[in-house]
Amino acid sequence: MSDIVTLKQILDESMIIPIQEKQEGTHTKYFVILGESQDNYAVTVKEMPRPDEVIVINVDKFRIPAHIFNGDKGECKRADYVIIANTDSEKVILCIELKKGGKPTNWIIQQLTGAKCFILYCQILVKHFWHKWDFLDEYEYRFVTFKKIPIDKKITRYRTNQQRSSATEIHNSPEKMLKISSLNSLRFGQLI
C-alpha cells in the first residue's frame, strides 16, 4: 500500500482537499485550489500529480493543542496546507502558508515548522500502529509561503523572494522558505 493511500485512510476526510480535474482534449489535467475562505483569496496549483499520487491536507483544520502546550515558542502554530506527492520522479512534502497581510517572518517560520511537526506526528503514528516502518522516510521537505495574494483572479508573473542567492537554492527548511508574492496561479513543479 502506498504512503498516499495510507494517509488517506488514517486522516478524516474533512482534512483532505480534493484534487480537481479538467479535460483538455484527450488529456486530463489535475489541479487544486488552496484558499482562505474567511479572507476570500485563493491560489490554484495546476499540473498536479494524479490523485492516486498525491494528497493535499488542510492542516489548518487540526485543532490547536493549546490545552496541552503553552505555545511560548510557537509549538501550537501550523501552516495552512501540506501537499505530499509520491510520483515516479519525486517524493516531496510541501508545507504551504497563505498570507494576505504582512505577518512577521518568524511567525511564518513557526507555522511552517508546525506543519512539519504535524506530518512527523502522522509518520510516527503509522510506524507504530500500522507497523509500516519506512513510512514517509524517503521524502524531501519543501517550504513555501504565498504573500499578498490578490482577490481578483488575474494571472500574474511568477515572482519569488529577492533573498534567494541563486535559482538553485533549495527551500528545504522553514528559514529558507520559497516566498511567492502577488500570484494566484502556478504549476506544481514551481513549488518544488
Side-chain angles (χ1 to χ4, degrees):
M1 176 183 332
S2 78
D3 291 345
I4 302 302
V5 170
T6 302
L7 279 166
K8 288 178 180 179
Q9 289 181 356
I10 69 165
L11 293 173
D12 186 83
E13 66 181 39
S14 69
M15 298 274 300
I16 301 171
I17 305 295
I19 303 296
Q20 299 180 46
E21 62 181 63
K22 179 181 178 183
Q23 201 64 35
E24 291 184 6
T26 60
H27 296 93
T28 303
K29 302 286 184 175
Y30 300 102
F31 66 96
V32 68
I33 298 173
L34 308 176
E36 292 280 8
S37 60
Q38 71 270 16
D39 291 327
N40 193 27
Y41 64 92
V43 172
T44 301
V45 182
K46 301 181 288 188
E47 298 181 19
M48 290 287 291
R50 293 188 329 264
D52 63 329
E53 298 176 323
V54 67
I55 184 171
V56 181
I57 305 167
N58 185 347
V59 184
D60 217 15
K61 286 196 170 215
F62 183 69
R63 290 194 182 131
I64 298 171
H67 62 285
I68 298 172
F69 302 111
N70 289 327
D72 296 340
K73 302 289 184 187
E75 61 270 19
C76 293
K77 291 182 176 69
R78 69 258 178 257
D80 297 312
Y81 298 97
V82 171
I83 299 175
I84 302 176
N86 181 356
T87 68
D88 292 337
S89 60
E90 62 214 356
K91 289 185 175 189
V92 65
I93 299 171
L94 295 164
C95 299
I96 299 173
E97 176 62 25
L98 306 178
K99 283 289 172 226
K100 184 177 177 185
K103 287 283 186 186
T105 300
N106 190 48
W107 181 282
I108 297 170
I109 289 170
Q110 290 174 348
Q111 289 178 295
L112 293 169
T113 302
K116 180 178 181 179
C117 290
F118 171 78
I119 296 303
L120 292 170
Y121 179 66
C122 291
Q123 186 179 22
I124 293 296
L125 286 176
V126 170
K127 286 184 177 199
H128 290 277
F129 287 95
W130 292 54
H131 306 290
K132 193 173 178 186
W133 300 109
D134 61 348
F135 183 70
L136 298 179
D137 282 345
E138 297 177 12
Y139 290 72
E140 295 182 25
Y141 278 89
R142 298 290 184 264
F143 299 88
V144 179
T145 184
F146 288 89
K147 289 183 153 191
K148 299 178 185 164
I149 300 164
I151 293 174
D152 62 355
K153 296 296 180 187
K154 67 180 181 180
I155 296 177
T156 55
R157 290 184 306 140
Y158 176 63
R159 295 184 296 161
T160 60
N161 58 314
Q162 302 277 325
Q163 297 172 341
R164 295 176 71 193
S165 60
S166 73
T168 59
E169 186 175 327
I170 296 177
H171 46 287
N172 59 359
S173 73
E175 295 78 17
K176 293 194 277 181
M177 72 186 93
L178 173 65
K179 296 178 184 176
I180 301 173
S181 63
S182 301
L183 188 69
N184 59 16
S185 178
L186 75 163
R187 295 183 322 276
F188 175 75
Q190 291 175 289
L191 298 174
I192 300 172

